[in-house]
Coordinates of all heavy atoms in Angstrom, one line a residue:
M16 N 0.8 -1.2 0.0 CA 0.0 0.0 0.0 C 0.9 1.2 0.0 O 0.7 2.2 -0.8 CB -0.9 0.0 1.2 CG -2.0 1.1 1.2 SD -3.0 1.0 -0.2 CE -3.7 2.7 -0.2
K17 N 1.8 1.2 0.9 CA 2.7 2.4 1.0 C 3.5 2.6 -0.3 O 3.6 3.7 -0.8 CB 3.7 2.2 2.1 CG 4.3 3.5 2.7 CD 5.1 3.3 3.9 CE 5.6 4.6 4.4 NZ 6.6 4.4 5.6
K18 N 3.9 1.4 -0.9 CA 4.7 1.5 -2.1 C 3.8 2.1 -3.2 O 4.3 2.9 -4.0 CB 5.1 0.1 -2.6 CG 6.5 -0.2 -2.3 CD 7.0 -1.4 -3.0 CE 8.4 -1.7 -2.8 NZ 8.8 -3.1 -2.8
M19 N 2.5 1.7 -3.3 CA 1.6 2.2 -4.3 C 1.5 3.7 -4.2 O 1.5 4.4 -5.2 CB 0.3 1.6 -4.2 CG 0.1 0.4 -5.1 SD -1.5 -0.3 -4.8 CE -2.6 1.0 -5.4
M20 N 1.4 4.2 -3.0 CA 1.2 5.6 -2.8 C 2.4 6.4 -3.3 O 2.3 7.4 -3.9 CB 0.9 5.9 -1.3 CG -0.6 5.8 -1.0 SD -0.9 6.2 0.7 CE -0.4 7.9 0.7
I21 N 3.6 5.8 -3.0 CA 4.8 6.5 -3.4 C 4.9 6.5 -4.9 O 5.2 7.5 -5.5 CB 6.1 5.8 -2.8 CG1 6.1 6.1 -1.3 CG2 7.3 6.3 -3.4 CD1 7.1 5.3 -0.5
A22 N 4.5 5.4 -5.5 CA 4.5 5.3 -7.0 C 3.6 6.4 -7.6 O 3.9 7.1 -8.5 CB 4.1 3.9 -7.4
A23 N 2.4 6.5 -7.0 CA 1.4 7.4 -7.5 C 1.9 8.8 -7.3 O 1.8 9.7 -8.2 CB 0.1 7.2 -6.7
L24 N 2.5 9.1 -6.2 CA 3.0 10.4 -5.9 C 4.1 10.8 -6.9 O 4.1 11.9 -7.5 CB 3.7 10.5 -4.5 CG 2.8 11.2 -3.5 CD1 3.5 11.1 -2.1 CD2 2.6 12.7 -3.8
S25 N 5.1 9.9 -7.2 CA 6.2 10.3 -8.1 C 5.7 10.4 -9.5 O 6.2 11.2 -10.3 CB 7.3 9.3 -7.9 OG 6.8 8.0 -8.2
T26 N 4.6 9.6 -9.9 CA 4.1 9.8 -11.2 C 3.5 11.2 -11.3 O 3.7 11.9 -12.3 CB 3.0 8.8 -11.5 OG1 3.4 7.5 -11.1 CG2 2.6 8.7 -12.9
G27 N 2.8 11.6 -10.3 CA 2.2 13.0 -10.3 C 3.3 14.0 -10.5 O 3.1 15.0 -11.3
L28 N 4.4 13.8 -9.8 CA 5.5 14.8 -9.8 C 6.1 14.8 -11.2 O 6.4 15.9 -11.8 CB 6.6 14.5 -8.8 CG 6.2 14.8 -7.4 CD1 7.3 14.4 -6.4 CD2 6.0 16.3 -7.2
L29 N 6.3 13.6 -11.8 CA 6.8 13.5 -13.1 C 5.9 14.3 -14.1 O 6.4 15.0 -15.0 CB 6.9 12.1 -13.5 CG 8.2 11.4 -13.2 CD1 8.2 9.9 -13.6 CD2 9.4 12.1 -13.9
V30 N 4.6 14.0 -14.0 CA 3.7 14.7 -15.0 C 3.8 16.2 -14.9 O 3.9 16.9 -15.9 CB 2.3 14.2 -14.7 CG1 1.3 15.0 -15.5 CG2 2.1 12.7 -15.1
S31 N 3.8 16.7 -13.6 CA 3.8 18.2 -13.6 C 5.2 18.7 -13.9 O 5.3 19.8 -14.5 CB 3.4 18.6 -12.2 OG 4.1 18.0 -11.2
A32 N 6.3 18.0 -13.7 CA 7.6 18.5 -14.0 C 7.8 18.5 -15.5 O 8.5 19.4 -16.0 CB 8.6 17.6 -13.3
S33 N 7.2 17.6 -16.2 CA 7.4 17.5 -17.7 C 6.4 18.4 -18.4 O 6.5 18.5 -19.6 CB 7.4 16.1 -18.1 OG 6.2 15.5 -17.9
F34 N 5.5 18.9 -17.7 CA 4.4 19.6 -18.3 C 4.8 20.7 -19.3 O 4.4 20.9 -20.4 CB 3.4 20.2 -17.3 CG 2.2 20.8 -17.9 CD1 1.2 20.0 -18.5 CD2 2.0 22.1 -17.9 CE1 0.1 20.5 -19.1 CE2 0.8 22.7 -18.4 CZ -0.1 21.9 -19.0
G35 N 5.8 21.5 -18.8 CA 6.3 22.7 -19.6 C 6.7 22.3 -21.0 O 6.5 23.0 -21.9
A36 N 7.4 21.1 -21.1 CA 7.9 20.7 -22.3 C 6.9 20.0 -23.2 O 7.1 19.7 -24.4 CB 9.1 19.8 -22.1
Q37 N 5.7 19.7 -22.6 CA 4.8 18.9 -23.3 C 3.9 19.7 -24.3 O 3.9 20.9 -24.2 CB 3.8 18.2 -22.3 CG 4.1 16.8 -22.1 CD 3.2 16.2 -21.1 OE1 2.3 16.8 -20.6 NE2 3.4 14.9 -20.7
A38 N 3.3 19.0 -25.2 CA 2.4 19.6 -26.2 C 1.2 20.1 -25.5 O 1.0 19.8 -24.3 CB 2.1 18.6 -27.3
A39 N 0.4 20.8 -26.2 CA -0.9 21.4 -25.6 C -1.8 20.2 -25.1 O -1.7 19.1 -25.6 CB -1.6 22.2 -26.7
P40 N -2.6 20.5 -24.1 CA -3.5 19.5 -23.6 C -4.5 19.1 -24.7 O -4.8 19.9 -25.6 CB -4.3 20.2 -22.5 CG -3.9 21.6 -22.5 CD -2.6 21.8 -23.3
A41 N -5.0 17.9 -24.7 CA -5.8 17.4 -25.8 C -7.0 18.3 -26.1 O -7.3 18.6 -27.3 CB -6.4 16.0 -25.4
K42 N -7.6 18.9 -25.1 CA -8.7 19.8 -25.4 C -8.4 21.0 -26.1 O -9.3 21.7 -26.7 CB -9.4 20.1 -24.0 CG -10.1 19.0 -23.4 CD -11.4 18.7 -24.1 CE -12.0 17.4 -23.5 NZ -13.3 17.0 -24.2
A43 N -7.1 21.4 -26.1 CA -6.7 22.6 -26.8 C -6.9 22.5 -28.3 O -6.9 23.5 -29.0 CB -5.3 23.0 -26.4
A44 N -7.0 21.3 -28.8 CA -7.1 21.1 -30.3 C -8.3 21.8 -30.8 O -8.3 22.3 -31.9 CB -7.3 19.6 -30.6
T45 N -9.4 22.0 -30.0 CA -10.6 22.7 -30.5 C -10.4 24.2 -30.4 O -11.2 24.9 -30.9 CB -11.8 22.3 -29.7 OG1 -11.6 22.5 -28.3 CG2 -12.2 20.8 -29.9
C46 N -9.4 24.7 -29.7 CA -9.2 26.1 -29.5 C -8.3 26.7 -30.5 O -8.3 28.0 -30.7 CB -8.7 26.4 -28.1 SG -9.2 25.2 -26.8
V47 N -7.5 25.9 -31.2 CA -6.5 26.4 -32.1 C -7.0 27.3 -33.1 O -6.4 28.4 -33.4 CB -5.8 25.2 -32.7 CG1 -4.8 25.6 -33.8 CG2 -5.0 24.4 -31.7
G48 N -8.1 26.9 -33.7 CA -8.6 27.7 -34.9 C -8.9 29.2 -34.5 O -8.7 30.0 -35.4
C49 N -9.2 29.4 -33.3 CA -9.6 30.8 -33.0 C -8.5 31.5 -32.1 O -8.2 32.7 -32.3 CB -10.9 30.9 -32.2 SG -12.3 30.4 -33.2
H50 N -7.9 30.7 -31.2 CA -6.9 31.3 -30.3 C -5.4 31.0 -30.7 O -4.5 31.5 -29.9 CB -7.2 30.9 -28.9 CG -8.5 31.4 -28.3 ND1 -8.7 32.7 -28.0 CD2 -9.6 30.7 -28.1 CE1 -10.0 32.8 -27.6 NE2 -10.6 31.6 -27.6
G51 N -5.2 30.3 -31.7 CA -3.8 30.0 -32.1 C -3.3 28.8 -31.3 O -3.8 28.5 -30.3
A52 N -2.3 28.1 -31.9 CA -1.7 27.0 -31.2 C -1.1 27.3 -29.9 O -1.1 26.5 -29.0 CB -0.6 26.3 -32.1
D53 N -0.6 28.5 -29.7 CA 0.1 28.8 -28.4 C -0.7 30.0 -27.8 O -0.1 30.7 -26.9 CB 1.5 29.2 -28.7 CG 1.7 30.4 -29.6 OD1 0.6 30.9 -30.2 OD2 2.8 31.0 -29.8
G54 N -1.9 30.1 -28.1 CA -2.8 31.2 -27.5 C -2.5 32.6 -28.0 O -3.1 33.5 -27.4
N55 N -1.8 32.7 -29.0 CA -1.6 34.0 -29.7 C -2.5 34.1 -30.9 O -2.0 33.8 -32.0 CB -0.1 34.2 -30.1 CG 0.7 34.5 -28.9 OD1 0.6 35.6 -28.3 ND2 1.6 33.6 -28.4
S56 N -3.7 34.5 -30.7 CA -4.6 34.5 -31.8 C -4.3 35.7 -32.7 O -3.7 36.7 -32.3 CB -6.1 34.7 -31.3 OG -6.2 36.0 -30.7
V57 N -4.5 35.5 -34.0 CA -4.2 36.6 -35.0 C -5.4 37.4 -35.4 O -5.3 38.4 -36.0 CB -3.5 36.0 -36.2 CG1 -2.1 35.5 -35.9 CG2 -4.3 34.9 -36.9
V58 N -6.6 36.9 -35.0 CA -7.8 37.6 -35.4 C -8.2 38.5 -34.2 O -8.3 38.1 -33.1 CB -9.0 36.6 -35.6 CG1 -10.3 37.3 -36.0 CG2 -8.6 35.6 -36.7
P59 N -8.4 39.8 -34.5 CA -8.6 40.8 -33.4 C -9.7 40.5 -32.5 O -9.7 40.8 -31.3 CB -8.8 42.1 -34.2 CG -8.2 41.9 -35.5 CD -8.3 40.5 -35.8
N60 N -10.8 39.9 -33.0 CA -12.0 39.6 -32.2 C -11.8 38.4 -31.3 O -12.6 38.1 -30.4 CB -13.2 39.3 -33.0 CG -13.8 40.6 -33.5 OD1 -13.3 41.7 -33.2 ND2 -14.8 40.6 -34.3
F61 N -10.7 37.6 -31.5 CA -10.4 36.4 -30.7 C -9.3 36.8 -29.7 O -8.2 37.0 -30.1 CB -10.0 35.2 -31.5 CG -11.0 34.8 -32.5 CD1 -10.6 34.1 -33.7 CD2 -12.4 35.1 -32.3 CE1 -11.6 33.7 -34.6 CE2 -13.3 34.7 -33.3 CZ -12.9 34.0 -34.4
P62 N -9.6 36.9 -28.4 CA -8.5 37.4 -27.5 C -7.3 36.5 -27.4 O -7.4 35.3 -27.6 CB -9.3 37.4 -26.1 CG -10.5 36.5 -26.3 CD -10.8 36.6 -27.7
K63 N -6.2 37.1 -27.1 CA -5.0 36.3 -26.9 C -5.0 35.7 -25.5 O -5.4 36.4 -24.5 CB -3.7 37.2 -27.0 CG -3.5 37.8 -28.4 CD -2.2 38.4 -28.6 CE -2.0 38.9 -30.0 NZ -0.7 39.2 -30.3
L64 N -4.7 34.4 -25.4 CA -4.7 33.8 -24.1 C -3.3 33.6 -23.5 O -3.1 33.5 -22.3 CB -5.3 32.4 -24.3 CG -6.7 32.3 -25.0 CD1 -7.2 30.9 -25.1 CD2 -7.7 33.2 -24.3
A65 N -2.3 33.7 -24.4 CA -0.9 33.4 -24.0 C -0.5 34.5 -23.0 O -0.7 35.7 -23.1 CB 0.0 33.5 -25.2
G66 N 0.1 33.9 -21.9 CA 0.7 34.8 -20.9 C -0.3 35.4 -19.9 O 0.1 36.2 -19.0
Q67 N -1.6 35.2 -20.1 CA -2.6 35.7 -19.1 C -2.5 34.9 -17.8 O -2.1 33.7 -17.9 CB -4.0 35.6 -19.7 CG -4.2 36.5 -20.9 CD -5.7 37.1 -20.9 OE1 -6.2 37.6 -19.9 NE2 -6.3 36.9 -22.1
H68 N -2.9 35.5 -16.7 CA -2.8 34.7 -15.5 C -3.7 33.5 -15.5 O -4.9 33.6 -16.0 CB -3.3 35.6 -14.3 CG -2.3 36.7 -14.0 ND1 -1.0 36.5 -13.6 CD2 -2.5 38.1 -14.1 CE1 -0.5 37.7 -13.5 NE2 -1.3 38.7 -13.8
A69 N -3.2 32.4 -15.0 CA -3.9 31.1 -15.1 C -5.3 31.2 -14.3 O -6.3 30.7 -14.8 CB -3.1 30.0 -14.5
S70 N -5.2 31.9 -13.2 CA -6.5 32.0 -12.4 C -7.5 32.8 -13.1 O -8.7 32.5 -13.0 CB -6.2 32.6 -11.0 OG -5.5 33.8 -11.2
Y71 N -7.1 33.8 -13.9 CA -8.1 34.6 -14.7 C -8.7 33.7 -15.8 O -9.9 33.6 -16.0 CB -7.4 35.8 -15.3 CG -8.3 36.5 -16.3 CD1 -9.3 37.3 -15.8 CD2 -8.1 36.4 -17.6 CE1 -10.2 37.9 -16.7 CE2 -9.0 37.0 -18.5 CZ -10.0 37.8 -18.1 OH -10.9 38.4 -19.0
L72 N -7.8 33.0 -16.5 CA -8.3 32.1 -17.6 C -9.2 31.1 -17.1 O -10.3 30.8 -17.7 CB -7.1 31.5 -18.3 CG -6.2 32.4 -19.1 CD1 -4.9 31.7 -19.6 CD2 -6.9 33.1 -20.2
E73 N -8.9 30.5 -15.9 CA -9.7 29.5 -15.3 C -11.1 30.0 -15.0 O -12.1 29.4 -15.3 CB -9.0 29.0 -14.1 CG -9.6 27.8 -13.5 CD -8.9 27.2 -12.3 OE1 -7.7 27.6 -12.0 OE2 -9.4 26.4 -11.6
K74 N -11.1 31.2 -14.4 CA -12.4 31.8 -14.1 C -13.2 32.1 -15.3 O -14.4 31.9 -15.3 CB -12.2 33.1 -13.2 CG -13.5 33.7 -12.9 CD -13.4 34.9 -11.9 CE -14.8 35.3 -11.4 NZ -15.7 35.7 -12.4
Q75 N -12.6 32.7 -16.4 CA -13.4 33.0 -17.6 C -14.0 31.7 -18.2 O -15.1 31.8 -18.6 CB -12.5 33.7 -18.6 CG -11.9 35.0 -18.1 CD -12.9 35.9 -17.4 OE1 -14.0 36.2 -17.9 NE2 -12.6 36.3 -16.1
L76 N -13.2 30.7 -18.2 CA -13.7 29.4 -18.8 C -14.9 28.9 -18.0 O -15.9 28.4 -18.6 CB -12.6 28.4 -19.0 CG -11.6 28.7 -20.1 CD1 -10.4 27.8 -20.0 CD2 -12.3 28.4 -21.5
K77 N -14.7 28.9 -16.7 CA -15.9 28.4 -15.9 C -17.1 29.4 -16.0 O -18.2 28.9 -16.1 CB -15.4 28.4 -14.4 CG -14.5 27.2 -14.1 CD -14.1 27.1 -12.7 CE -13.2 25.9 -12.4 NZ -12.6 25.9 -11.1
D78 N -16.8 30.7 -16.1 CA -18.0 31.6 -16.3 C -18.7 31.4 -17.6 O -19.9 31.4 -17.7 CB -17.5 33.0 -16.2 CG -17.2 33.5 -14.8 OD1 -17.5 32.7 -13.8 OD2 -16.8 34.6 -14.6
F79 N -17.9 31.1 -18.7 CA -18.5 30.8 -20.0 C -19.3 29.5 -19.9 O -20.5 29.4 -20.3 CB -17.5 30.6 -21.1 CG -16.9 31.8 -21.7 CD1 -15.5 32.0 -21.8 CD2 -17.7 32.8 -22.2 CE1 -15.0 33.2 -22.3 CE2 -17.2 34.0 -22.8 CZ -15.8 34.1 -22.9
R80 N -18.7 28.5 -19.3 CA -19.3 27.2 -19.1 C -20.6 27.3 -18.3 O -21.6 26.7 -18.7 CB -18.4 26.2 -18.5 CG -19.0 24.8 -18.3 CD -18.1 23.9 -17.4 NE -18.1 24.5 -16.0 CZ -17.3 24.0 -15.0 NH1 -16.5 23.0 -15.3 NH2 -17.4 24.5 -13.8
D81 N -20.6 28.0 -17.2 CA -21.7 28.1 -16.3 C -22.7 29.2 -16.7 O -23.6 29.4 -15.9 CB -21.2 28.2 -14.9 CG -20.3 27.0 -14.5 OD1 -20.4 25.9 -15.1 OD2 -19.4 27.2 -13.6
G82 N -22.4 29.9 -17.7 CA -23.4 30.9 -18.2 C -23.3 32.3 -17.6 O -24.1 33.2 -17.8
F83 N -22.2 32.5 -16.7 CA -22.1 33.9 -16.1 C -21.4 34.9 -17.1 O -21.6 36.1 -17.0 CB -21.2 33.8 -14.8 CG -21.9 32.9 -13.8 CD1 -21.3 31.7 -13.4 CD2 -23.1 33.3 -13.2 CE1 -21.9 31.0 -12.4 CE2 -23.7 32.5 -12.2 CZ -23.1 31.4 -11.8
R84 N -20.6 34.4 -18.0 CA -20.1 35.2 -19.1 C -20.7 34.7 -20.4 O -20.6 33.5 -20.7 CB -18.6 35.2 -19.1 CG -18.0 36.1 -20.2 CD -16.5 36.2 -20.1 NE -16.0 36.9 -21.3 CZ -14.7 37.2 -21.5 NH1 -13.8 36.8 -20.6 NH2 -14.3 37.7 -22.6
K85 N -21.3 35.6 -21.1 CA -22.1 35.2 -22.3 C -21.4 35.6 -23.6 O -21.0 36.8 -23.8 CB -23.5 35.8 -22.3 CG -24.3 35.3 -21.1 CD -25.8 35.6 -21.2 CE -26.5 35.4 -19.8 NZ -26.4 34.0 -19.4
D86 N -21.1 34.6 -24.4 CA -20.7 34.9 -25.8 C -21.0 33.7 -26.7 O -20.6 32.6 -26.4 CB -19.2 35.2 -25.8 CG -18.7 35.5 -27.2 OD1 -18.9 36.6 -27.7 OD2 -18.1 34.6 -27.9
A87 N -21.8 34.0 -27.7 CA -22.4 32.9 -28.5 C -21.3 32.1 -29.2 O -21.4 31.0 -29.5 CB -23.3 33.5 -29.6
T88 N -20.1 32.8 -29.5 CA -19.0 32.1 -30.2 C -18.3 31.2 -29.2 O -18.0 30.0 -29.5 CB -18.1 33.1 -30.8 OG1 -18.8 34.1 -31.5 CG2 -17.1 32.4 -31.7
M89 N -18.0 31.7 -28.1 CA -17.1 31.0 -27.1 C -17.8 30.0 -26.2 O -17.2 29.0 -25.9 CB -16.4 32.1 -26.3 CG -15.3 31.6 -25.3 SD -14.1 30.5 -26.1 CE -13.9 29.4 -24.7
Q90 N -19.0 30.3 -25.8 CA -19.7 29.5 -24.9 C -19.8 28.0 -25.2 O -19.5 27.1 -24.4 CB -21.1 30.0 -24.5 CG -21.0 31.0 -23.3 CD -22.4 31.6 -23.0 OE1 -22.9 32.4 -23.7 NE2 -22.9 31.1 -21.9
P91 N -20.1 27.7 -26.5 CA -20.2 26.2 -26.9 C -18.9 25.5 -26.6 O -19.0 24.3 -26.3 CB -20.5 26.3 -28.4 CG -21.1 27.6 -28.6 CD -20.4 28.5 -27.6
F92 N -17.8 26.1 -26.7 CA -16.5 25.5 -26.6 C -16.1 25.2 -25.1 O -15.3 24.4 -24.8 CB -15.4 26.2 -27.3 CG -15.6 26.2 -28.8 CD1 -16.2 27.3 -29.4 CD2 -15.3 25.1 -29.5 CE1 -16.5 27.3 -30.8 CE2 -15.5 25.1 -30.9 CZ -16.1 26.2 -31.5
A93 N -16.7 26.0 -24.2 CA -16.5 25.8 -22.8 C -17.4 24.8 -22.2 O -17.2 24.3 -21.1 CB -16.6 27.2 -22.1
K94 N -18.5 24.6 -22.8 CA -19.7 23.8 -22.3 C -19.3 22.5 -21.7 O -19.6 22.1 -20.6 CB -20.8 23.6 -23.3 CG -21.9 24.6 -23.1 CD -23.2 24.0 -23.0 CE -24.1 24.7 -21.9 NZ -24.3 26.1 -22.1
G95 N -18.6 21.7 -22.5 CA -18.3 20.3 -22.1 C -17.1 20.1 -21.2 O -16.8 19.0 -20.8
L96 N -16.4 21.2 -20.8 CA -15.1 21.1 -20.1 C -15.3 20.8 -18.6 O -16.2 21.3 -18.0 CB -14.3 22.3 -20.3 CG -13.9 22.7 -21.7 CD1 -13.2 24.1 -21.7 CD2 -13.0 21.7 -22.3
T97 N -14.5 19.9 -18.1 CA -14.5 19.6 -16.7 C -13.6 20.6 -16.0 O -12.8 21.3 -16.6 CB -14.0 18.2 -16.4 OG1 -12.6 18.1 -16.7 CG2 -14.8 17.1 -17.1
D98 N -13.7 20.7 -14.6 CA -12.9 21.6 -13.9 C -11.4 21.3 -14.1 O -10.6 22.2 -14.3 CB -13.2 21.5 -12.4 CG -14.4 22.2 -12.0 OD1 -15.1 22.8 -12.9 OD2 -14.8 22.2 -10.8
A99 N -11.1 20.0 -14.2 CA -9.7 19.6 -14.4 C -9.2 20.0 -15.8 O -8.1 20.4 -15.9 CB -9.6 18.0 -14.2
E100 N -10.0 19.8 -16.8 CA -9.6 20.2 -18.1 C -9.4 21.7 -18.2 O -8.5 22.2 -18.9 CB -10.7 19.7 -19.1 CG -10.7 18.2 -19.4 CD -11.9 17.7 -20.1 OE1 -12.9 18.5 -20.2 OE2 -11.8 16.6 -20.6
I101 N -10.3 22.4 -17.5 CA -10.2 23.9 -17.5 C -8.9 24.3 -16.9 O -8.1 25.2 -17.4 CB -11.4 24.5 -16.8 CG1 -12.6 24.5 -17.8 CG2 -11.1 26.0 -16.4 CD1 -13.9 25.0 -17.2
K102 N -8.5 23.7 -15.8 CA -7.3 24.0 -15.1 C -6.1 23.7 -16.0 O -5.1 24.5 -16.1 CB -7.2 23.3 -13.8 CG -5.9 23.6 -13.0 CD -6.1 23.5 -11.5 CE -4.9 24.1 -10.8 NZ -3.7 24.4 -11.5
E103 N -6.1 22.6 -16.7 CA -5.0 22.2 -17.6 C -4.9 23.2 -18.7 O -3.8 23.6 -19.0 CB -5.4 20.8 -18.1 CG -4.2 20.0 -18.4 CD -4.5 18.7 -19.1 OE1 -5.7 18.3 -19.2 OE2 -3.6 18.0 -19.7
L104 N -6.0 23.6 -19.3 CA -6.0 24.6 -20.4 C -5.5 26.0 -19.9 O -4.6 26.6 -20.5 CB -7.4 24.8 -21.0 CG -7.9 23.6 -21.8 CD1 -9.4 23.7 -22.0 CD2 -7.2 23.6 -23.2
A105 N -5.9 26.4 -18.7 CA -5.5 27.7 -18.1 C -4.0 27.7 -17.9 O -3.3 28.6 -18.2 CB -6.3 28.0 -16.9
D106 N -3.5 26.6 -17.3 CA -2.1 26.5 -17.0 C -1.3 26.5 -18.3 O -0.2 27.1 -18.3 CB -1.8 25.2 -16.2 CG -2.2 25.3 -14.8 OD1 -2.5 26.4 -14.3 OD2 -2.4 24.2 -14.1
F107 N -1.8 25.8 -19.3 CA -1.1 25.7 -20.5 C -0.9 27.1 -21.2 O 0.2 27.6 -21.5 CB -1.7 24.8 -21.5 CG -1.2 24.8 -22.9 CD1 0.1 24.3 -23.2 CD2 -1.9 25.5 -23.9 CE1 0.6 24.4 -24.5 CE2 -1.4 25.6 -25.2 CZ -0.2 25.0 -25.5
Y108 N -2.1 27.8 -21.3 CA -2.0 29.1 -22.0 C -1.3 30.2 -21.2 O -0.6 31.0 -21.7 CB -3.4 29.6 -22.3 CG -4.0 28.8 -23.5 CD1 -5.2 28.0 -23.3 CD2 -3.5 28.8 -24.7 CE1 -5.7 27.3 -24.3 CE2 -4.0 28.1 -25.8 CZ -5.1 27.3 -25.6 OH -5.6 26.6 -26.6
A109 N -1.4 30.1 -19.9 CA -0.6 31.0 -19.0 C 0.9 30.8 -19.2 O 1.6 31.8 -19.0 CB -1.0 30.8 -17.5
A110 N 1.3 29.6 -19.5 CA 2.7 29.3 -19.6 C 3.3 29.7 -21.0 O 4.5 29.7 -21.2 CB 3.0 27.8 -19.4
Q111 N 2.4 30.1 -22.0 CA 2.9 30.4 -23.3 C 3.4 31.9 -23.3 O 2.8 32.7 -22.6 CB 1.8 30.2 -24.3 CG 1.2 28.8 -24.3 CD 2.2 27.7 -24.4 OE1 3.0 27.7 -25.4 NE2 2.2 26.8 -23.5
A112 N 4.3 32.2 -24.1 CA 4.8 33.5 -24.3 C 3.9 34.4 -25.1 O 3.6 34.0 -26.3 CB 6.3 33.5 -24.8
P113 N 3.5 35.5 -24.6 CA 2.6 36.4 -25.5 C 3.5 37.0 -26.6 O 4.6 37.4 -26.4 CB 2.1 37.5 -24.5 CG 3.0 37.4 -23.3 CD 3.7 36.0 -23.3
K114 N 2.9 37.1 -27.8 CA 3.6 37.6 -29.0 C 2.9 38.8 -29.5 O 1.7 38.9 -29.4 CB 3.8 36.6 -30.0 CG 4.8 35.5 -29.7 CD 4.8 34.4 -30.8 CE 5.6 33.2 -30.2 NZ 5.1 32.0 -30.9
Ligands
HEC213 C1 -14.9 29.8 -32.9 C2 -13.9 30.6 -32.2 C3 -13.4 30.1 -30.8 C4 -13.1 28.9 -30.4 C5 -13.0 27.6 -31.2 C6 -12.7 29.1 -29.0 N1 -12.8 30.4 -28.6 FE1 -12.3 31.2 -26.8 N2 -13.0 33.0 -27.4 C7 -13.6 33.3 -28.6 C8 -14.1 34.6 -28.6 C9 -14.8 35.3 -29.8 C10 -13.8 35.1 -27.3 C11 -14.2 36.5 -26.8 C12 -15.6 36.4 -26.2 C13 -16.1 37.8 -25.7 O1 -16.0 38.8 -26.4 O2 -16.6 37.8 -24.5 C14 -13.2 34.1 -26.6 C15 -12.7 34.2 -25.3 C16 -12.0 33.2 -24.6 C17 -11.5 33.4 -23.3 C18 -11.5 34.7 -22.4 C19 -10.2 35.5 -22.7 C20 -10.2 36.8 -22.0 O3 -9.2 37.5 -22.2 O4 -11.1 37.2 -21.3 C21 -10.8 32.3 -22.9 C22 -10.1 32.0 -21.6 C23 -11.0 31.3 -24.0 N3 -11.7 32.0 -25.0 C24 -10.5 30.1 -24.1 C25 -10.8 29.1 -25.1 C26 -10.5 27.7 -25.0 C27 -9.7 27.1 -23.9 C28 -11.0 27.2 -26.1 C29 -11.0 25.7 -26.5 C30 -11.6 24.8 -25.6 C31 -11.6 28.2 -26.9 N4 -11.5 29.4 -26.2 C32 -12.2 28.0 -28.2 C33 -13.6 32.4 -29.7 C34 -13.3 31.1 -29.7

């Protein structure tokens, strides 16, 4: 039991340690078209996500999902996301360099 917990813990550490070098989270595939691969969107009406604070991005995504922030274009893409997926997306875009 103790061994299992240690194994689980070190896996978690490995995952977070290698995160910076990893590709975008799976869910980001649906965001690319509008926000760019690294969150630097080129269309003026699509906000840049790169380099924004993770806590801000997380709140905006939850607000879109839960209907507190309304936008007909963006809301459908936030709808199906879990809290964990939102956190992963927020951390990813926050870690990208704004251009
Ligand atoms: C079809 C285009 C489109 C797609 C796809 C899309 N978005 Fe958006 N997104 C927008 C638009 C437009 C806005 C600005 C909405 C507004 O004016 O309130 C926005 C706003 C946002 C914001 C708020 C940014 C800020 O500065 O307040 C976040 C965060 C965000 N999108 C994340 C995502 C993520 C994550 C995905 C993929 C799961 C995604 N978007 C997919 C168009 C899109």
Side-chain angles (χ1 to χ4, degrees):
M16 188 58 198
K17 204 170 179 189
K18 256 195 180 147
M19 261 178 67
M20 275 182 61
I21 291 170
L24 256 176
S25 54
T26 313
L28 284 176
L29 269 178
V30 167
S31 50
S33 59
F34 186 68
Q37 258 178 5
K42 289 286 171 180
T45 54
C46 326
V47 172
C49 293
H50 294 289
D53 60 353
N55 284 291
S56 67
V57 292
V58 181
N60 282 359
F61 302 155
K63 295 193 180 193
L64 309 178
Q67 294 212 50
H68 293 296
S70 54
Y71 172 76
L72 294 174
E73 190 176 347
K74 179 173 190 299
Q75 298 317 305
L76 283 168
K77 285 182 178 167
D78 281 356
F79 280 128
R80 180 191 65 188
D81 301 335
F83 297 114
R84 181 170 170 180
K85 298 190 190 303
D86 181 73
T88 310
M89 184 51 217
Q90 270 178 289
F92 295 98
K94 260 235 139 55
L96 299 173
T97 65
D98 285 0
E100 286 166 342
I101 284 178
K102 180 151 193 346
E103 212 186 346
L104 287 161
D106 286 344
F107 169 73
Y108 287 116
Q111 306 308 304
K114 285 176 193 151

